[in-house]
Amino acid sequence: MSTSLELRVVPDPPALFQAAAEQFVTLVGSAVRENGCFTVALSGGSTPKSLYSRLATDDRDQVPWDKTFFFWGDERHVPPDNPESNYRMVYEALLSKVPVPPGNIFRVPAENPDAARVAESYELALRQFFKVPPGSFPSFDLILLGMGPDGHTASLFPGTAALKDRSRLVVANWVEKFKGHRITMTLPVINQAAVVTFLVSGRDKAETLKEVLEGSQPPDLFPSKLIHPVNGKLNWLVDRAAAAVLSRTRA
Ligand code: 6PG
């Protein structure tokens, strides 16, 4: 177990997205040099939208789009044209604006009403792309994550069944508060990544961020605590508002 953790506090959201974009471009460059391609699992929600927009504009010419392969760390159980869809958010902010070959985009087929089939299908797509047999886990070059005010990440919500799954790559996770499923990559997949970067912004996340980074509550109540890349790098990229109540030595 050798996770290296780096916490970086930047002044404000623009600085956050600039730092995240710089990291993205750097990681793309090194992955393409080493392996000829770059694999990234994107996070959803609202925070990363500005990063995706930046990549489509300011950083557009620094990314070899034809060598970049896009996946989603989690998806809502809705069709791709639904306003809740993480795919739709990324498509509108980034994919519709840059020359990524359609074959490089691995969308979660969340339009299928059978959530378990969605998860199975996405797992198969991952296994085929990364050529990993049952019992093995793919290693993404980068997995981007957000953190909810309840400490969830991806769609690994407190107290949900997905937190315990150590064999599958992707599961349909029932989330009682939504009275619905979320499709999510599991902890073994996320923790197999070469680099995991949390992007956290805003004062509403501050108490949760303090608990996740410094507190002693059970990890199942704050699933972001369960992210420890086994042989990778864990970055917490946060703005000053989110870091407001971290102990002095950190912020
Ligand atoms: C999702 C995300 C989720 C998100 C957090 C933070 O599908 O919503 O993957 O894990 O990252 O909920 O969301 P915000 O960035 O909108 O606060």
Side-chain angles (χ1 to χ4, degrees):
M1 169 84 111
S2 61
T3 301
S4 71
L5 187 152
E6 181 189 339
L7 169 70
R8 185 173 168 201
V9 181
V10 296
D12 52 31
L16 184 73
F17 301 122
Q18 178 174 343
E22 287 168 357
Q23 181 195 71
F24 189 97
V25 169
T26 301
L27 290 175
V28 172
S30 50
V32 167
R33 275 192 302 279
E34 284 164 35
N35 311 314
C37 69
F38 174 67
T39 57
V40 56
L42 301 174
S43 64
S46 56
T47 302
K49 190 168 182 176
S50 299
L51 165 60
Y52 303 148
S53 298
R54 247 201 78 115
L55 291 172
T57 52
D58 304 35
D59 309 289
R60 176 195 175 86
D61 297 334
Q62 300 184 67
V63 178
W65 299 107
D66 62 328
K67 296 182 175 64
T68 303
F69 294 80
F70 290 96
F71 301 79
W72 277 257
D74 70 319
E75 183 58 279
R76 288 78 183 278
H77 189 203
V78 295
D81 59 352
N82 184 297
E84 285 296 303
S85 165
N86 286 335
Y87 167 81
R88 174 172 159 170
M89 181 270 285
V90 176
Y91 180 80
E92 289 176 347
L94 173 60
L95 299 179
S96 58
K97 298 173 178 161
V98 294
V100 180
N104 290 25
I105 300 169
F106 291 78
R107 179 178 67 81
V108 179
E111 63 276 15
N112 183 332
D114 182 338
R117 292 298 306 275
V118 173
E120 287 163 12
S121 161
Y122 204 55
E123 169 149 344
L124 184 59
L126 292 184
R127 288 199 181 283
Q128 287 173 337
F129 179 87
F130 287 94
K131 299 182 178 51
V132 287
S136 302
F137 298 95
S139 179
F140 283 87
D141 294 311
L142 172 62
I143 295 185
L144 288 172
L145 294 175
M147 185 193 74
D150 61 356
H152 84 263
T153 189
S155 284
L156 301 167
F157 285 84
T160 57
L163 298 182
K164 299 193 177 0
D165 201 300
R166 294 291 184 275
S167 56
R168 287 178 290 176
L169 308 186
V170 184
V171 297
N173 194 27
W174 179 262
V175 186
E176 186 58 27
K177 69 177 175 181
F178 299 136
K179 294 281 187 282
H181 288 100
R182 289 281 190 92
I183 312 303
T184 187
M185 285 184 188
T186 57
L187 285 167
V189 175
I190 296 172
N191 285 331
Q192 196 63 33
V195 176
V196 177
T197 294
F198 277 94
L199 286 187
V200 186
S201 172
R203 181 65 181 80
D204 64 316
K205 304 278 177 79
E207 283 72 19
T208 303
L209 184 63
K210 182 176 182 65
E211 173 55 46
V212 168
L213 293 179
E214 302 177 2
S216 55
Q217 292 272 354
D220 272 20
L221 298 181
F222 291 85
S224 295
K225 291 187 176 190
L226 295 168
I227 305 303
H228 299 290
V230 289
N231 283 308
K233 192 160 183 318
L234 176 57
N235 301 303
W236 283 88
L237 196 43
V238 308
D239 63 16
R240 198 164 286 152
V245 296
L246 291 182
S247 56
R248 225 180 1 274
T249 50
R250 280 188 178 276

